Amino acid sequence: PIDCSYISSEENDSVNVCMYDRLARLHVIISGDLTGFYGAGRFSVILGGLRNTLTYGGTVSGDTVSVALGLHRKQDGTFVSGTVATFQSSSPIRVTICRDGVPVSSTDEDSSSHPITVSEGDNKAIVITAGYGLFNIRVMPWDEYSSQNVCD
């Protein structure tokens, strides 16, 4: 928590306000020959099942939303998304890979059939290795992924 002190300009009362970072952060990395499997095009990823509201009492609520992320192609052919910040969710997060806006693959589980979820404070990488008709999906801490790979 970040402890911030506030002193009223009209009174000499001070109030301590604790602020917490309640967000989880997700990154998507796709390696493999997407263009070889699906042809040339603009690839993107949609993360669905994200939550968008936190009440004053600290409860995650609101609508389930989807976020479309563009993918940057690195020199080694790996596609990398920007970071998306969201609230924790016990519902699975659906990952959909699109080419030119058309879905080509979608799942809400990793390769071990575990649902893709996030908890408060998570900083995760969804690492997808594309193969012909097959996707290997691992969810791992971002720090672990970034320490093994040079991110540009």
Side-chain angles (χ1 to χ4, degrees):
I2 301 170
D3 187 13
C4 301
S5 297
Y6 169 78
I7 299 175
S8 170
S9 60
E10 296 179 16
E11 301 175 12
N12 288 330
D13 296 334
S14 67
V15 177
N16 286 332
V17 178
C18 291
M19 300 169 60
Y20 296 89
D21 184 357
R22 304 288 305 263
L23 296 173
R25 288 160 182 80
L26 294 169
H27 315 257
V28 180
I29 299 95
I30 305 173
S31 63
D33 189 11
L34 284 179
T35 56
F37 303 134
Y38 299 110
R42 193 183 89 252
F43 288 93
S44 60
V45 65
I46 298 172
L47 298 179
L50 306 177
R51 304 303 291 204
N52 70 348
T53 304
L54 183 69
T55 67
Y56 286 111
T59 303
V60 175
S61 63
D63 297 325
T64 300
V65 297
S66 296
V67 175
L69 300 169
L71 294 171
H72 164 72
R73 188 171 188 169
K74 295 173 37 175
Q75 287 183 345
D76 67 0
T78 301
F79 290 90
V80 180
S81 77
T83 305
V84 65
T86 186
F87 294 110
Q88 70 182 10
S89 176
S90 57
S91 301
I93 294 171
R94 176 157 292 279
V95 179
T96 303
I97 300 171
C98 300
R99 183 180 67 87
D100 296 328
V102 177
V104 295
S105 181
S106 186
T107 187
D108 60 5
E109 296 180 337
D110 66 13
S111 294
S112 299
S113 300
H114 297 114
I116 299 171
T117 60
V118 290
S119 298
E120 179 180 313
D122 280 350
N123 191 7
K124 290 184 175 180
I126 300 171
V127 182
I128 302 169
T129 306
Y132 187 72
L134 173 68
F135 287 90
N136 180 31
I137 300 173
R138 288 188 324 149
V139 180
M140 61 193 305
W142 172 252
D143 291 342
E144 183 180 327
Y145 173 81
S146 62
S147 70
Q148 298 171 6
N149 299 274
V150 176
C151 299
D152 55 12

